[in-house]
Each structure stands twice: as C-alpha cells, then as structure tokens.
Amino acid sequence: MTHKTKYIALLFTLVSLNSVLAQEVKVSSNNFPKTLVLKGEALERNYQLISVNDFEKTKALKTLLAKADKILKEGKLYSVMNKKQLPPSGDKHDYMSTGPYWWPDPTKPDGLPYIRKDGLRNPTYYDISDTREIDRMRDDTESLALAYYFTKEDKYAKFASKLIQTWFLDAATLQNPNLNFGQGIPGINTGRGIGIIETRGLFRVIDAAILLQESESWSKEDHQTLQKWFSDYLVWLTQSPIGKDEAIEHNNHGTHYSVQVIDYALFTGQPEIVASEIEVFKNRMESQIKADGSQPFELERTKSWDYVNMNLDGYFLVAQLAENSAINLWQYETKQGITMRKCLDWMVPYLKNEKKWDFEQIKTVGYGETIRLLKIASQKYSNPAYDALAKAIDIKTYQSELNQLTF
C-alpha cells in the first residue's frame, strides 16, 4: 500500500467532530434565504460563523471578496449580442453555438459535413462567444450575490443585478428564451436538443437572484421579469421539438434536462411540473444505473470519469431541488434496489486507490464535482468519512471559497 493510499484510508476512517464554535452558532429557521439548490441554512450558519470571526470562514470570505472586487473593477457585462455571427433566424438575440466535438471532414474540400471526435474539443467552438459569455455571466453573478449576502454591501448586489438584467431583462441585450441554435453541426443541422446542456448551470443564477432580493438594486419587478423569462424558457424546453428531443436523452443530457425543468418550475411556481418531472427522473435512474451502481452510458465515453461525475452531480441536484417540495430522493431505490448513494460508493474504491480506473479517460482527471458530491453525501447520509475522503483527494478544491461558504 502506497503512502498516499495509507493516508487516504486513514482519513476515510476518521469521524469528524464540529468545533465548539460551530456548535454554539444557532440558525433561525425563519432567517435563512430560501434558495433552491444552495442550502439557506448553511449560508446563514456560515454568516453567523463569520460574525464571530471563525478562521476558515473569514479566510474563505476574504478570497471571495477579492474575486468579487476584481469583477467590479473589470466591469464586464455579457450578452448574446456580443457575438459576431448572425444565427439562422437573423436575430442576434437567439443563443448560438456549435457542437464542441465536431470537426471538419479532412476528406471533403469544404470539410462538410463535420465529423464527430468524442471528447476532443474543436477550438473553433469558442469562435461563437455565447457559450463563454453565459458561463462567465453565471459565475460572476453567483460570486457577487454571495459577496453581497455575506457583507450586505450593495455594490456587489448592484453589479450582480446589472449582469442579470443585461442577459435576461434588457430589451436591447437579452437572450431570447430558447436554444434553437445550440450545438449545431456544420453541414448537418443548425441546432440540436443536446445543446440544452449549455444552460444546465442557470440554477446558480436563480439562486443568486434569490439572494439579491434583500437589495434595493434588485427590485420586485426585476425578480418577476426574471421569473417570466424562465417561465417562457420552460415552455420552450417542454414543448419545442428540440426541447422534446433532449427530454428523451438517456444519459447525462436527460439528467440535466430534468434538473433544469424542476429548477425552473420551482422558481416560477409550477408544482405540478415539478412533481411530474421528478417521476420522469426516477425512470431515468432505472435506465441509467447497473445493479453494481455503475453508469454504463457515461463509462462508454472518452472522458468517462468526467461524465460519471457530471451525471451523478445531476442526480444530487435533482435531489436537492426535490427537497423544496418535501420529497426525499436521497433514499429512493430503483426496482433493482439501487440508490444515488450506491452510485457514489461505486466510485469510492477508485478514489481510495483500491482500484485502477481502466475506463477511457483522454484528459487529466479532475475532482471539482467529486468534492461537491462527497461533501453533500457526508451531510445527507450522516457519514463524515465522505468529507474526510474529499479532503484527502483534493485539499485545494475542498478549501475553495465556494465549498467553505456554501456547506
């Protein structure tokens, strides 16, 4: 057994105890923000810990504020209108991207139609700026909203509000609520259901908007207009041919489609859609997981580790969202008796170096989503060994400001 393996094994068996300081902090059930994925109780508890100068939390806040201040200094706003290309509709307000794993056919003079190279990202994917801009808008908005929540300084809320307004609300710069031209393939089509994966992180913008509600910079009218945008996008997701195409995807695409439908339905007050999509999600689990807890549709990919984590992250997101409707999916069992926890436990021997990852993985393994999964599992299954393992495999990610301040 290697030194690293012994270290991980030791940490995995340790039972962590909360500090005395953390035990003394009490959170009022009526005082925490009603975010949908982020746990309001955790945010409020960390706010209280910062107020009594907890070392780890104040250190994390300092890092977050440095990032937030940099965002303010740069003052960068994002919009679909910034792209140079014109979508097939002739309307720049429509989001547009190309399939990342599609390349010119070297046997054809014009390269058309493109051919697929799974896992190999064509650098021209970023020539259309919408993809990078929506990601940066999402990240900056979340950082600023959290900075506002923990400091109550309105300068952070003001620019976070401006970011949301620019992308979703302002007539001159907003994105139309559709993804008709997401991940098109040159020579084959102008858009696919698979492109909907590119909005899977918008739940973070919704949680940010919820955190901003106490600020004068984010009005009730702003919030209602944002809800209207997501309501319209939800109609498109569930009723358009492209949306319906993504709805029947059998792998991580289907999972993150469910994440989006449930999140947007919760945000816009449509409980019947939430309940219906949770049932759809249960069927996804039935079809996606083998009896041993493995995910065959993800393991067949050229970046198998990435996709196994990405899909399970979608499972955990659905379970977190379902809690808003008092539905517990953490213990849900498929007909084969498989749970989300069994999927995670299937991964644990690889994380502890007890097994070698023999599935195809053409890029360096990362642990960003893995750490999140383990930290959540530690709480939901009352097993601090998961948290100890997260700390052992990637201490830098474990100690990131987002992990420190949102758990």
Side-chain angles (χ1 to χ4, degrees):
M1 183 181 290
T2 66
H3 176 72
K4 180 180 179 182
T5 303
K6 290 179 180 178
Y7 174 62
I8 292 176
L10 176 62
L11 281 174
F12 192 73
T13 60
L14 292 176
V15 177
S16 302
L17 297 175
N18 290 329
S19 67
V20 174
L21 179 61
Q23 290 177 2
E24 292 176 348
V25 170
K26 297 185 183 298
V27 178
S28 168
S29 60
N30 298 317
N31 199 34
F32 56 81
K34 304 305 186 286
T35 39
L36 301 180
V37 173
L38 292 175
K39 300 311 295 180
E41 299 97 325
L43 294 176
E44 180 61 21
R45 185 175 185 82
N46 289 332
Y47 179 85
Q48 297 296 336
L49 287 169
I50 289 168
S51 72
V52 294
N53 296 317
D54 176 85
F55 177 76
E56 291 296 333
K57 302 303 180 182
T58 53
K59 179 182 177 182
L61 179 59
K62 183 178 179 180
T63 301
L64 174 68
L65 295 183
K67 180 184 293 184
D69 288 338
K70 184 173 184 289
I71 293 169
L72 293 184
K73 183 177 180 180
E74 292 176 349
K76 174 70 174 174
L77 295 172
Y78 307 99
S79 168
V80 289
M81 301 302 287
N82 292 339
K83 61 179 172 288
K84 299 176 181 178
Q85 301 82 355
L86 190 66
S89 62
D91 186 353
K92 264 197 173 184
H93 289 280
D94 287 330
Y95 181 98
M96 181 183 179
S97 66
T98 56
Y101 303 146
W102 291 81
W103 296 71
D105 185 342
T107 68
K108 306 291 179 58
D110 59 0
L112 300 176
Y114 275 26
I115 57 175
R116 186 170 184 259
K117 299 180 182 181
D118 187 39
L120 297 176
R121 189 179 296 274
N122 187 335
T124 64
Y125 172 67
Y126 294 112
D127 288 351
I128 303 174
S129 60
D130 287 353
T131 302
R132 274 185 168 164
E133 297 226 352
I134 198 172
D135 288 349
R136 289 169 178 171
M137 177 276 299
R138 174 202 66 207
D139 293 348
D140 287 2
T141 300
E142 180 181 57
S143 294
L144 290 169
L146 287 169
Y148 167 70
Y149 175 77
F150 287 113
T151 67
K152 309 306 179 189
E153 292 187 37
D154 201 63
K155 63 180 181 179
Y156 300 119
K158 185 175 182 179
F159 197 68
S161 299
K162 186 64 176 176
L163 285 166
I164 299 175
Q165 290 160 349
T166 302
W167 193 274
F168 298 98
L169 310 187
D170 294 348
T173 56
L174 60 75
Q175 176 196 334
N176 288 332
N178 71 70
L179 234 66
N180 287 323
F181 308 112
Q183 293 203 8
I185 306 171
I188 298 179
N189 57 49
T190 58
R192 301 177 292 159
I194 281 176
I196 292 170
I197 201 74
E198 293 183 0
T199 54
R200 72 185 184 278
L202 290 183
F203 69 88
R204 293 163 59 188
V205 175
I206 288 175
D207 270 358
I210 293 170
L211 292 177
L212 295 174
Q213 284 184 287
E214 293 183 3
S215 168
E216 293 182 357
S217 295
W218 183 249
S219 69
K220 181 178 179 180
E221 291 72 22
D222 287 333
H223 203 71
Q224 290 173 340
T225 306
L226 184 65
Q227 288 175 313
K228 176 63 166 58
W229 191 96
F230 276 100
S231 179
D232 291 343
Y233 188 45
L234 182 57
V235 169
W236 180 85
L237 276 176
T238 56
Q239 298 183 17
S240 70
I242 286 181
K244 290 178 179 179
D245 181 61
E246 184 76 336
I248 60 174
E249 285 289 332
H250 60 266
N251 60 3
N252 64 84
H253 281 269
T255 299
H256 283 276
Y257 175 88
S258 286
V259 171
Q260 294 190 63
V261 169
I262 295 167
D263 186 57
Y264 308 157
L266 282 167
F267 184 52
T268 58
Q270 301 182 71
E272 69 288 348
I273 295 179
V274 173
S276 175
E277 193 62 31
I278 286 175
E279 293 306 310
V280 171
F281 169 74
K282 290 178 181 178
N283 290 330
R284 296 193 196 283
M285 287 184 64
E286 294 281 353
S287 66
Q288 291 182 3
I289 312 170
K290 291 178 67 174
D292 62 356
S294 63
Q295 304 172 50
F297 298 129
E298 312 308 327
L299 290 173
E300 69 184 13
R301 301 295 297 276
T302 61
K303 296 189 293 185
S304 57
W305 175 258
D306 296 26
Y307 283 108
V308 163
N309 279 269
M310 178 181 174
N311 194 48
L312 187 54
D313 186 56
Y315 285 12
F316 276 35
L317 285 168
V318 170
Q320 288 173 292
L321 289 166
E323 290 179 331
N324 293 281
S325 297
I327 297 173
N328 182 357
L329 291 178
W330 300 107
Q331 310 298 335
Y332 173 74
E333 293 187 2
T334 67
K335 293 174 183 176
Q336 297 184 79
I338 306 302
T339 63
M340 295 182 189
R341 185 176 186 176
K342 187 163 187 178
C343 290
L344 181 62
D345 287 344
W346 180 87
M347 297 167 59
V348 166
Y350 299 101
L351 293 168
K352 295 169 68 177
N353 291 330
E354 295 172 354
K355 285 185 178 181
K356 180 182 178 182
W357 189 264
D358 290 325
F359 308 96
E360 190 170 8
Q361 176 67 23
I362 62 174
K363 61 172 286 189
T364 304
V365 166
Y367 298 106
E369 287 171 321
T370 315
I371 300 303
R372 167 184 150 81
L373 294 171
L374 289 167
K375 287 183 72 64
I376 293 171
S378 177
Q379 297 174 353
K380 298 303 177 183
Y381 300 116
S382 301
N383 187 346
Y386 288 122
D387 190 76
L389 180 58
K391 198 173 196 177
I393 62 174
D394 187 350
I395 187 64
K396 183 177 180 180
T397 299
Y398 181 90
Q399 293 178 335
S400 73
E401 70 274 11
L402 283 181
N403 282 332
Q404 286 293 320
L405 296 173
T406 62
F407 283 94

mmCIF file of all heavy atoms in Angstrom, residues 59-99:
data_model
loop_
_atom_site.group_PDB
_atom_site.id
_atom_site.type_symbol
_atom_site.label_atom_id
_atom_site.label_comp_id
_atom_site.label_asym_id
_atom_site.label_seq_id
_atom_site.Cartn_x
_atom_site.Cartn_y
_atom_site.Cartn_z
ATOM 1 N N LYS A 59 -11.465 33.483 6.201
ATOM 2 C CA LYS A 59 -10.442 33.343 5.167
ATOM 3 C C LYS A 59 -11.095 33.111 3.806
ATOM 4 O O LYS A 59 -10.702 33.713 2.795
ATOM 5 C CB LYS A 59 -9.513 32.173 5.517
ATOM 6 C CG LYS A 59 -8.420 31.931 4.487
ATOM 7 C CD LYS A 59 -7.573 30.719 4.887
ATOM 8 C CE LYS A 59 -6.523 30.414 3.826
ATOM 9 N NZ LYS A 59 -5.726 29.198 4.185
ATOM 10 N N ALA A 60 -12.109 32.269 3.774
ATOM 11 C CA ALA A 60 -12.816 31.999 2.522
ATOM 12 C C ALA A 60 -13.530 33.247 2.018
ATOM 13 O O ALA A 60 -13.536 33.530 0.812
ATOM 14 C CB ALA A 60 -13.816 30.862 2.722
ATOM 15 N N LEU A 61 -14.113 34.005 2.941
ATOM 16 C CA LEU A 61 -14.795 35.234 2.540
ATOM 17 C C LEU A 61 -13.802 36.233 1.951
ATOM 18 O O LEU A 61 -14.110 36.913 0.965
ATOM 19 C CB LEU A 61 -15.518 35.853 3.739
ATOM 20 C CG LEU A 61 -16.250 37.175 3.444
ATOM 21 C CD1 LEU A 61 -17.299 36.990 2.360
ATOM 22 C CD2 LEU A 61 -16.864 37.752 4.709
ATOM 23 N N LYS A 62 -12.634 36.317 2.530
ATOM 24 C CA LYS A 62 -11.609 37.225 2.003
ATOM 25 C C LYS A 62 -11.272 36.867 0.558
ATOM 26 O O LYS A 62 -11.136 37.758 -0.308
ATOM 27 C CB LYS A 62 -10.358 37.160 2.873
ATOM 28 C CG LYS A 62 -9.251 38.125 2.446
ATOM 29 C CD LYS A 62 -8.048 38.043 3.386
ATOM 30 C CE LYS A 62 -6.945 39.000 2.933
ATOM 31 N NZ LYS A 62 -5.765 38.917 3.848
ATOM 32 N N THR A 63 -11.154 35.576 0.261
ATOM 33 C CA THR A 63 -10.872 35.127 -1.101
ATOM 34 C C THR A 63 -12.032 35.458 -2.032
ATOM 35 O O THR A 63 -11.832 35.929 -3.162
ATOM 36 C CB THR A 63 -10.616 33.607 -1.119
ATOM 37 O OG1 THR A 63 -9.517 33.303 -0.257
ATOM 38 C CG2 THR A 63 -10.307 33.124 -2.521
ATOM 39 N N LEU A 64 -13.240 35.214 -1.562
ATOM 40 C CA LEU A 64 -14.423 35.532 -2.368
ATOM 41 C C LEU A 64 -14.498 37.024 -2.675
ATOM 42 O O LEU A 64 -14.784 37.420 -3.815
ATOM 43 C CB LEU A 64 -15.695 35.095 -1.636
ATOM 44 C CG LEU A 64 -17.017 35.501 -2.310
ATOM 45 C CD1 LEU A 64 -17.208 34.742 -3.621
ATOM 46 C CD2 LEU A 64 -18.197 35.271 -1.369
ATOM 47 N N LEU A 65 -14.227 37.863 -1.682
ATOM 48 C CA LEU A 65 -14.325 39.307 -1.886
ATOM 49 C C LEU A 65 -13.245 39.818 -2.830
ATOM 50 O O LEU A 65 -13.475 40.763 -3.587
ATOM 51 C CB LEU A 65 -14.258 40.032 -0.543
ATOM 52 C CG LEU A 65 -15.422 39.767 0.412
ATOM 53 C CD1 LEU A 65 -15.281 40.605 1.684
ATOM 54 C CD2 LEU A 65 -16.760 40.054 -0.255
ATOM 55 N N ALA A 66 -12.077 39.187 -2.797
ATOM 56 C CA ALA A 66 -11.030 39.564 -3.757
ATOM 57 C C ALA A 66 -11.505 39.284 -5.181
ATOM 58 O O ALA A 66 -11.289 40.088 -6.095
ATOM 59 C CB ALA A 66 -9.753 38.795 -3.453
ATOM 60 N N LYS A 67 -12.161 38.145 -5.364
ATOM 61 C CA LYS A 67 -12.707 37.801 -6.682
ATOM 62 C C LYS A 67 -13.823 38.774 -7.065
ATOM 63 O O LYS A 67 -13.885 39.261 -8.198
ATOM 64 C CB LYS A 67 -13.237 36.369 -6.666
ATOM 65 C CG LYS A 67 -13.836 35.912 -7.984
ATOM 66 C CD LYS A 67 -14.429 34.513 -7.894
ATOM 67 C CE LYS A 67 -13.354 33.471 -7.678
ATOM 68 N NZ LYS A 67 -13.925 32.088 -7.695
ATOM 69 N N ALA A 68 -14.710 39.057 -6.113
ATOM 70 C CA ALA A 68 -15.825 39.954 -6.388
ATOM 71 C C ALA A 68 -15.335 41.370 -6.711
ATOM 72 O O ALA A 68 -15.852 42.028 -7.624
ATOM 73 C CB ALA A 68 -16.771 39.986 -5.189
ATOM 74 N N ASP A 69 -14.342 41.837 -5.991
ATOM 75 C CA ASP A 69 -13.793 43.179 -6.254
ATOM 76 C C ASP A 69 -13.133 43.243 -7.627
ATOM 77 O O ASP A 69 -13.206 44.271 -8.315
ATOM 78 C CB ASP A 69 -12.792 43.554 -5.161
ATOM 79 C CG ASP A 69 -13.458 43.855 -3.824
ATOM 80 O OD1 ASP A 69 -14.661 44.188 -3.829
ATOM 81 O OD2 ASP A 69 -12.782 43.738 -2.787
ATOM 82 N N LYS A 70 -12.513 42.154 -8.041
ATOM 83 C CA LYS A 70 -11.916 42.097 -9.371
ATOM 84 C C LYS A 70 -13.008 42.186 -10.453
ATOM 85 O O LYS A 70 -12.846 42.870 -11.461
ATOM 86 C CB LYS A 70 -11.113 40.801 -9.528
ATOM 87 C CG LYS A 70 -10.359 40.681 -10.853
ATOM 88 C CD LYS A 70 -9.464 39.441 -10.831
ATOM 89 C CE LYS A 70 -8.621 39.340 -12.101
ATOM 90 N NZ LYS A 70 -9.404 39.008 -13.284
ATOM 91 N N ILE A 71 -14.124 41.502 -10.212
ATOM 92 C CA ILE A 71 -15.250 41.568 -11.151
ATOM 93 C C ILE A 71 -15.777 42.996 -11.256
ATOM 94 O O ILE A 71 -16.043 43.501 -12.356
ATOM 95 C CB ILE A 71 -16.374 40.610 -10.701
ATOM 96 C CG1 ILE A 71 -15.908 39.151 -10.810
ATOM 97 C CG2 ILE A 71 -17.635 40.817 -11.542
ATOM 98 C CD1 ILE A 71 -16.838 38.156 -10.140
ATOM 99 N N LEU A 72 -15.885 43.662 -10.117
ATOM 100 C CA LEU A 72 -16.359 45.057 -10.123
ATOM 101 C C LEU A 72 -15.394 45.962 -10.868
ATOM 102 O O LEU A 72 -15.798 46.835 -11.635
ATOM 103 C CB LEU A 72 -16.530 45.552 -8.689
ATOM 104 C CG LEU A 72 -17.632 44.921 -7.832
ATOM 105 C CD1 LEU A 72 -17.702 45.610 -6.483
ATOM 106 C CD2 LEU A 72 -18.983 44.990 -8.524
ATOM 107 N N LYS A 73 -14.117 45.765 -10.637
ATOM 108 C CA LYS A 73 -13.107 46.608 -11.272
ATOM 109 C C LYS A 73 -13.133 46.448 -12.786
ATOM 110 O O LYS A 73 -13.039 47.431 -13.539
ATOM 111 C CB LYS A 73 -11.724 46.266 -10.727
ATOM 112 C CG LYS A 73 -10.607 47.144 -11.281
ATOM 113 C CD LYS A 73 -9.261 46.797 -10.651
ATOM 114 C CE LYS A 73 -8.156 47.684 -11.217
ATOM 115 N NZ LYS A 73 -6.834 47.362 -10.603
ATOM 116 N N GLU A 74 -13.274 45.197 -13.245
ATOM 117 C CA GLU A 74 -13.286 44.955 -14.685
ATOM 118 C C GLU A 74 -14.590 45.427 -15.322
ATOM 119 O O GLU A 74 -14.605 45.872 -16.477
ATOM 120 C CB GLU A 74 -13.078 43.462 -14.957
ATOM 121 C CG GLU A 74 -11.674 42.988 -14.587
ATOM 122 C CD GLU A 74 -11.500 41.489 -14.771
ATOM 123 O OE1 GLU A 74 -12.528 40.788 -14.991
ATOM 124 O OE2 GLU A 74 -10.351 41.014 -14.701
ATOM 125 N N GLY A 75 -15.683 45.341 -14.598
ATOM 126 C CA GLY A 75 -16.965 45.854 -15.070
ATOM 127 C C GLY A 75 -17.461 45.213 -16.355
ATOM 128 O O GLY A 75 -18.159 45.861 -17.149
ATOM 129 N N LYS A 76 -17.162 43.954 -16.566
ATOM 130 C CA LYS A 76 -17.514 43.265 -17.802
ATOM 131 C C LYS A 76 -18.958 42.771 -17.768
ATOM 132 O O LYS A 76 -19.363 42.057 -16.857
ATOM 133 C CB LYS A 76 -16.564 42.081 -18.015
ATOM 134 C CG LYS A 76 -16.900 41.190 -19.191
ATOM 135 C CD LYS A 76 -16.666 41.860 -20.523
ATOM 136 C CE LYS A 76 -16.869 40.884 -21.675
ATOM 137 N NZ LYS A 76 -16.780 41.537 -22.991
ATOM 138 N N LEU A 77 -19.734 43.176 -18.768
ATOM 139 C CA LEU A 77 -21.100 42.684 -18.938
ATOM 140 C C LEU A 77 -21.135 41.712 -20.105
ATOM 141 O O LEU A 77 -20.336 41.817 -21.036
ATOM 142 C CB LEU A 77 -22.070 43.844 -19.184
ATOM 143 C CG LEU A 77 -22.238 44.830 -18.033
ATOM 144 C CD1 LEU A 77 -23.070 46.030 -18.482
ATOM 145 C CD2 LEU A 77 -22.901 44.152 -16.828
ATOM 146 N N TYR A 78 -22.076 40.792 -20.061
ATOM 147 C CA TYR A 78 -22.143 39.744 -21.065
ATOM 148 C C TYR A 78 -23.510 39.750 -21.746
ATOM 149 O O TYR A 78 -24.536 40.020 -21.119
ATOM 150 C CB TYR A 78 -21.887 38.382 -20.412
ATOM 151 C CG TYR A 78 -20.608 38.358 -19.611
ATOM 152 C CD1 TYR A 78 -20.619 38.509 -18.222
ATOM 153 C CD2 TYR A 78 -19.377 38.217 -20.241
ATOM 154 C CE1 TYR A 78 -19.449 38.509 -17.483
ATOM 155 C CE2 TYR A 78 -18.191 38.217 -19.520
ATOM 156 C CZ TYR A 78 -18.240 38.355 -18.143
ATOM 157 O OH TYR A 78 -17.074 38.363 -17.419
ATOM 158 N N SER A 79 -23.495 39.408 -23.030
ATOM 159 C CA SER A 79 -24.742 39.416 -23.792
ATOM 160 C C SER A 79 -24.601 38.564 -25.048
ATOM 161 O O SER A 79 -23.502 38.469 -25.623
ATOM 162 C CB SER A 79 -25.115 40.852 -24.196
ATOM 163 O OG SER A 79 -26.157 40.860 -25.162
ATOM 164 N N VAL A 80 -25.693 37.965 -25.475
ATOM 165 C CA VAL A 80 -25.700 37.246 -26.753
ATOM 166 C C VAL A 80 -25.462 38.201 -27.920
ATOM 167 O O VAL A 80 -25.076 37.775 -29.012
ATOM 168 C CB VAL A 80 -27.032 36.500 -26.969
ATOM 169 C CG1 VAL A 80 -27.156 35.304 -26.044
ATOM 170 C CG2 VAL A 80 -28.228 37.441 -26.810
ATOM 171 N N MET A 81 -25.653 39.481 -27.689
ATOM 172 C CA MET A 81 -25.462 40.471 -28.751
ATOM 173 C C MET A 81 -23.988 40.711 -29.055
ATOM 174 O O MET A 81 -23.642 41.356 -30.052
ATOM 175 C CB MET A 81 -26.132 41.789 -28.371
ATOM 176 C CG MET A 81 -27.635 41.683 -28.125
ATOM 177 S SD MET A 81 -28.538 41.051 -29.554
ATOM 178 C CE MET A 81 -28.458 42.479 -30.645
ATOM 179 N N ASN A 82 -23.092 40.196 -28.215
ATOM 180 C CA ASN A 82 -21.657 40.418 -28.411
ATOM 181 C C ASN A 82 -21.043 39.510 -29.479
ATOM 182 O O ASN A 82 -19.918 39.756 -29.921
ATOM 183 C CB ASN A 82 -20.912 40.217 -27.088
ATOM 184 C CG ASN A 82 -21.253 41.304 -26.077
ATOM 185 O OD1 ASN A 82 -21.701 42.380 -26.445
ATOM 186 N ND2 ASN A 82 -21.046 41.009 -24.802
ATOM 187 N N LYS A 83 -21.742 38.475 -29.880
ATOM 188 C CA LYS A 83 -21.171 37.573 -30.888
ATOM 189 C C LYS A 83 -21.141 38.255 -32.249
ATOM 190 O O LYS A 83 -21.959 39.131 -32.560
ATOM 191 C CB LYS A 83 -21.961 36.263 -30.965
ATOM 192 C CG LYS A 83 -23.432 36.377 -31.350
ATOM 193 C CD LYS A 83 -24.046 34.987 -31.405
ATOM 194 C CE LYS A 83 -25.563 35.043 -31.585
ATOM 195 N NZ LYS A 83 -26.265 35.513 -30.366
ATOM 196 N N LYS A 84 -20.175 37.843 -33.073
ATOM 197 C CA LYS A 84 -20.022 38.408 -34.407
ATOM 198 C C LYS A 84 -20.960 37.746 -35.416
ATOM 199 O O LYS A 84 -21.341 38.350 -36.415
ATOM 200 C CB LYS A 84 -18.571 38.251 -34.874
ATOM 201 C CG LYS A 84 -17.563 38.977 -33.987
ATOM 202 C CD LYS A 84 -16.125 38.692 -34.440
ATOM 203 C CE LYS A 84 -15.126 39.387 -33.549
ATOM 204 N NZ LYS A 84 -13.715 39.082 -33.942
ATOM 205 N N GLN A 85 -21.317 36.498 -35.147
ATOM 206 C CA GLN A 85 -22.114 35.736 -36.086
ATOM 207 C C GLN A 85 -23.613 36.061 -35.957
ATOM 208 O O GLN A 85 -24.075 36.479 -34.896
ATOM 209 C CB GLN A 85 -21.913 34.227 -35.880
ATOM 210 C CG GLN A 85 -20.476 33.755 -36.037
ATOM 211 C CD GLN A 85 -19.640 33.966 -34.769
ATOM 212 O OE1 GLN A 85 -20.098 34.547 -33.787
ATOM 213 N NE2 GLN A 85 -18.397 33.490 -34.803
ATOM 214 N N LEU A 86 -24.342 35.820 -37.018
ATOM 215 C CA LEU A 86 -25.790 36.002 -37.020
ATOM 216 C C LEU A 86 -26.444 34.623 -37.055
ATOM 217 O O LEU A 86 -26.172 33.830 -37.962
ATOM 218 C CB LEU A 86 -26.229 36.819 -38.235
ATOM 219 C CG LEU A 86 -27.694 37.297 -38.255
ATOM 220 C CD1 LEU A 86 -27.923 38.308 -37.138
ATOM 221 C CD2 LEU A 86 -28.031 37.912 -39.617
ATOM 222 N N PRO A 87 -27.289 34.301 -36.089
ATOM 223 C CA PRO A 87 -27.961 32.992 -36.098
ATOM 224 C C PRO A 87 -28.821 32.814 -37.350
ATOM 225 O O PRO A 87 -29.181 33.795 -38.010
ATOM 226 C CB PRO A 87 -28.824 33.043 -34.832
ATOM 227 C CG PRO A 87 -28.186 34.072 -33.970
ATOM 228 C CD PRO A 87 -27.633 35.101 -34.906
ATOM 229 N N PRO A 88 -29.175 31.578 -37.677
ATOM 230 C CA PRO A 88 -30.008 31.321 -38.851
ATOM 231 C C PRO A 88 -31.340 32.071 -38.843
ATOM 232 O O PRO A 88 -31.907 32.335 -39.905
ATOM 233 C CB PRO A 88 -30.239 29.809 -38.791
ATOM 234 C CG PRO A 88 -29.028 29.281 -38.088
ATOM 235 C CD PRO A 88 -28.702 30.324 -37.060
ATOM 236 N N SER A 89 -31.812 32.430 -37.663
ATOM 237 C CA SER A 89 -33.075 33.177 -37.556
ATOM 238 C C SER A 89 -32.928 34.618 -38.002
ATOM 239 O O SER A 89 -33.919 35.312 -38.231
ATOM 240 C CB SER A 89 -33.555 33.166 -36.099
ATOM 241 O OG SER A 89 -32.592 33.817 -35.260
ATOM 242 N N GLY A 90 -31.682 35.096 -38.092
ATOM 243 C CA GLY A 90 -31.441 36.501 -38.397
ATOM 244 C C GLY A 90 -31.552 37.402 -37.184
ATOM 245 O O GLY A 90 -31.440 38.621 -37.294
ATOM 246 N N ASP A 91 -31.725 36.807 -35.993
ATOM 247 C CA ASP A 91 -31.910 37.569 -34.761
ATOM 248 C C ASP A 91 -30.761 37.264 -33.803
ATOM 249 O O ASP A 91 -30.653 36.152 -33.283
ATOM 250 C CB ASP A 91 -33.248 37.197 -34.121
ATOM 251 C CG ASP A 91 -33.580 38.054 -32.909
ATOM 252 O OD1 ASP A 91 -32.718 38.859 -32.470
ATOM 253 O OD2 ASP A 91 -34.715 37.923 -32.398
ATOM 254 N N LYS A 92 -29.907 38.252 -33.538
ATOM 255 C CA LYS A 92 -28.765 38.050 -32.644
ATOM 256 C C LYS A 92 -29.180 37.739 -31.212
ATOM 257 O O LYS A 92 -28.378 37.226 -30.422
ATOM 258 C CB LYS A 92 -27.862 39.290 -32.659
ATOM 259 C CG LYS A 92 -26.684 39.184 -33.609
ATOM 260 C CD LYS A 92 -25.636 40.229 -33.253
ATOM 261 C CE LYS A 92 -24.376 40.010 -34.094
ATOM 262 N NZ LYS A 92 -23.299 40.940 -33.700
ATOM 263 N N HIS A 93 -30.407 38.039 -30.864
ATOM 264 C CA HIS A 93 -30.880 37.730 -29.511
ATOM 265 C C HIS A 93 -31.006 36.228 -29.281
ATOM 266 O O HIS A 93 -31.146 35.791 -28.131
ATOM 267 C CB HIS A 93 -32.228 38.408 -29.262
ATOM 268 C CG HIS A 93 -32.140 39.899 -29.124
ATOM 269 N ND1 HIS A 93 -31.744 40.521 -27.966
ATOM 270 C CD2 HIS A 93 -32.387 40.888 -30.025
ATOM 271 C CE1 HIS A 93 -31.756 41.838 -28.138
ATOM 272 N NE2 HIS A 93 -32.149 42.087 -29.378
ATOM 273 N N ASP A 94 -30.973 35.435 -30.349
ATOM 274 C CA ASP A 94 -31.016 33.984 -30.198
ATOM 275 C C ASP A 94 -29.629 33.452 -29.864
ATOM 276 O O ASP A 94 -28.642 33.792 -30.521
ATOM 277 C CB ASP A 94 -31.511 33.324 -31.487
ATOM 278 C CG ASP A 94 -32.993 33.511 -31.714
ATOM 279 O OD1 ASP A 94 -33.733 33.617 -30.716
ATOM 280 O OD2 ASP A 94 -33.424 33.540 -32.885
ATOM 281 N N TYR A 95 -29.571 32.613 -28.827
ATOM 282 C CA TYR A 95 -28.325 31.954 -28.423
ATOM 283 C C TYR A 95 -27.870 31.041 -29.550
ATOM 284 O O TYR A 95 -28.671 30.415 -30.236
ATOM 285 C CB TYR A 95 -28.577 31.161 -27.146
ATOM 286 C CG TYR A 95 -27.381 30.448 -26.577
ATOM 287 C CD1 TYR A 95 -26.637 31.007 -25.539
ATOM 288 C CD2 TYR A 95 -26.995 29.193 -27.054
ATOM 289 C CE1 TYR A 95 -25.547 30.344 -24.996
ATOM 290 C CE2 TYR A 95 -25.903 28.523 -26.513
ATOM 291 C CZ TYR A 95 -25.189 29.105 -25.490
ATOM 292 O OH TYR A 95 -24.109 28.446 -24.957
ATOM 293 N N MET A 96 -26.543 30.903 -29.697
ATOM 294 C CA MET A 96 -26.000 30.119 -30.794
ATOM 295 C C MET A 96 -24.680 29.477 -30.375
ATOM 296 O O MET A 96 -23.869 30.090 -29.672
ATOM 297 C CB MET A 96 -25.778 31.036 -32.005
ATOM 298 C CG MET A 96 -25.228 30.374 -33.237
ATOM 299 S SD MET A 96 -24.958 31.653 -34.521
ATOM 300 C CE MET A 96 -24.283 30.639 -35.838
ATOM 301 N N SER A 97 -24.467 28.217 -30.764
ATOM 302 C CA SER A 97 -23.186 27.548 -30.544
ATOM 303 C C SER A 97 -23.055 26.397 -31.529
ATOM 304 O O SER A 97 -24.020 26.035 -32.218
ATOM 305 C CB SER A 97 -23.070 27.019 -29.103
ATOM 306 O OG SER A 97 -24.012 25.981 -28.868
ATOM 307 N N THR A 98 -21.858 25.827 -31.605
ATOM 308 C CA THR A 98 -21.631 24.639 -32.436
ATOM 309 C C THR A 98 -21.256 23.460 -31.544
ATOM 310 O O THR A 98 -20.809 23.641 -30.406
ATOM 311 C CB THR A 98 -20.497 24.862 -33.462
ATOM 312 O OG1 THR A 98 -19.301 25.255 -32.770
ATOM 313 C CG2 THR A 98 -20.864 25.950 -34.460
ATOM 314 N N GLY A 99 -21.443 22.246 -32.053
ATOM 315 C CA GLY A 99 -21.078 21.061 -31.286
ATOM 316 C C GLY A 99 -19.590 21.040 -30.986
ATOM 317 O O GLY A 99 -18.776 21.148 -31.910
#
